[in-house]
Amino acid sequence: MQNSVVSCPKCGSTNIYKNGHDKYGNQQYFCKDCKRTFRLVHSKKHKLFSFPYPKCPVCGKTMQIHKIKKAFVKFRCRSCHTRDEIPTNLPQFVPLPFDSFKFFRFPIFIVLKAFVLYFKAVSLRSIRDSLNIKVSHVAIYKWILKLSCFFSILVPVDAFKVHGDETVVLFKSKKYYVWFLVDHETNLIVAWHVSKYRDMGQVKILLEKFFGNNERTIELITDGLGAYGAVKILYKNINHIVVRLGQNNQCESKFSLFQDFVRAKRGFKNIENLPMYVNSFCVVRNLLKLNGMILRVL
């Protein structure tokens, strides 16, 4: 294809045509006179995911994205075509830094009190009245959204027997699934996950959030959902125990509290905030549970 605008940087000829794209998506040109292939732009693509791309186990080169699936990303080596998969986990929440409250107009204890009351299913206007300060319910809502990105749940190091279950949250007639793993001994939520689907890939993501870098032998109790069939295939260190539907009380008690929270808030206005709400709900419930345990010991 003749191009009268672009010229060859070597010979200056305009007798060129487009010749595909390079691996970064930049347009390539071919000069018919000097037989040279060149590019006018040399930019590289931005990474689609923040985690480091895996190295090829055969040749050691960095692998490239091959396909993006619902629960994982497929990578392929450009040299030897070796393939690998990495689950697309939710972003990890960073610890709360000390100066995170410096932009709040009110003291820290007031902001934290509003945060805890909100996830105890108290309405925004009721929180405003209980704080006894001049602040709007919209400002309190913005506090909640900001703090929900900071906290992360505390996972017991000796959690060797956990219960797994999921519940449904409706948003504009679409189903979203919230997954919990609850410790049998302490009744603390040790892992959570939010997804659009209820398949084996979501179970894998939930368990990898729980294990992290510390794999150990555990006992997993579920209600027999078919998606948990991946446990026996993927994990040799998990003893999967199935109980009858309705008898997984450790998780169902947490879900009843979560559904009460959803009903009190009359659903969600923005589904993108659902992971933040779930994380903060788990943080507050674990803190309330730990506080009760400490008081019983004292």
Side-chain angles (χ1 to χ4, degrees):
M1 182 180 68
Q2 192 71 22
N3 192 320
S4 59
V5 178
V6 180
S7 60
C8 177
K10 183 177 181 181
C11 64
S13 173
T14 58
N15 188 20
I16 62 175
Y17 63 87
K18 292 182 179 180
N19 189 25
H21 299 79
D22 63 2
K23 63 180 181 178
Y24 299 113
N26 300 314
Q27 180 66 58
Q28 295 186 142
Y29 298 92
F30 179 77
C31 179
K32 294 183 180 180
D33 294 336
C34 64
K35 312 299 181 184
R36 180 174 182 270
T37 300
F38 63 93
R39 301 185 301 272
L40 299 180
V41 180
H42 298 271
S43 62
K44 295 184 179 181
K45 282 185 177 179
H46 295 288
K47 293 182 65 175
L48 297 178
F49 301 94
S50 59
F51 54 78
Y53 290 1
K55 299 286 185 180
C56 178
V58 178
C59 62
K61 296 183 178 179
T62 303
M63 306 177 75
Q64 304 294 329
I65 295 178
H66 179 55
K67 291 182 180 179
I68 300 178
K69 297 293 185 178
K70 299 175 183 177
F72 55 88
V73 181
K74 285 188 175 182
F75 288 88
R76 185 177 65 177
C77 180
R78 296 178 65 90
S79 301
C80 58
H81 303 291
T82 303
R83 300 188 181 186
D84 193 8
E85 296 179 357
I86 290 184
T88 54
N89 293 344
L90 293 174
Q92 297 294 325
F93 292 90
V94 298
L96 180 66
F98 181 75
D99 59 347
S100 298
F101 295 93
K102 65 181 180 181
F103 298 108
F104 288 101
R105 185 161 55 97
F106 296 97
I108 295 177
F109 71 91
I110 293 180
V111 178
L112 290 177
K113 179 181 178 181
F115 181 81
V116 173
L117 289 176
Y118 183 82
F119 289 99
K120 291 181 68 176
V122 181
S123 67
L124 290 172
R125 289 174 174 81
S126 298
I127 296 174
R128 178 197 60 190
D129 298 337
S130 65
L131 293 179
N132 198 22
I133 58 176
K134 189 176 181 180
V135 63
S136 68
H137 65 281
V138 178
I140 298 175
Y141 177 70
K142 292 180 179 179
W143 294 354
I144 306 304
L145 292 182
K146 184 173 183 179
L147 291 182
S148 296
C149 300
F150 292 143
F151 296 105
S152 58
I153 61 176
L154 302 174
V155 180
V157 295
D158 56 347
F160 297 103
K161 184 177 182 181
V162 296
H163 297 252
D165 204 356
E166 75 289 337
T167 189
V168 179
V169 176
L170 292 177
F171 179 78
K172 295 183 179 179
S173 301
K174 294 183 179 180
K175 291 183 178 181
Y176 294 84
Y177 297 95
V178 178
W179 306 71
F180 280 169
L181 281 182
V182 181
D183 182 30
H184 179 78
E185 298 296 333
T186 60
N187 202 20
L188 298 176
I189 303 174
V190 296
W192 61 270
H193 178 51
V194 177
S195 66
K196 293 182 180 179
Y197 309 97
R198 190 169 59 168
D199 52 20
M200 294 183 179
Q202 313 307 320
V203 175
K204 182 181 178 182
I205 294 175
L206 178 68
L207 292 173
E208 288 183 351
K209 284 186 175 184
F210 169 67
F211 284 123
N213 298 325
N214 183 20
E215 290 195 7
R216 53 191 181 275
T217 302
I218 67 168
E219 188 175 283
L220 176 62
I221 303 173
T222 67
D223 56 4
L225 179 68
Y228 290 103
V231 173
K232 295 182 179 179
I233 302 175
L234 301 175
Y235 300 94
K236 303 300 182 183
N237 58 329
I238 296 181
N239 180 23
H240 186 203
I241 299 176
V242 179
V243 297
R244 292 198 309 177
L245 188 65
Q247 293 186 353
N248 198 1
N249 296 327
Q250 298 287 99
C251 276
E252 290 166 1
S253 62
K254 299 297 181 182
F255 284 135
S256 63
L257 294 173
F258 181 73
Q259 293 292 355
D260 291 341
F261 166 73
V262 175
R263 283 191 292 269
K265 305 308 173 186
R266 299 180 181 178
F268 299 99
K269 305 299 184 295
N270 188 353
I271 197 60
E272 294 180 357
N273 294 333
L274 179 58
M276 293 191 300
Y277 286 134
V278 175
N279 180 78
S280 299
F281 173 83
C282 296
V283 170
V284 172
R285 283 297 156 186
N286 282 0
L287 289 176
L288 294 175
K289 190 67 180 178
L290 287 172
N291 184 49
M293 294 167 60
I294 295 173
L295 291 177
R296 283 197 296 270
V297 172
L298 296 176

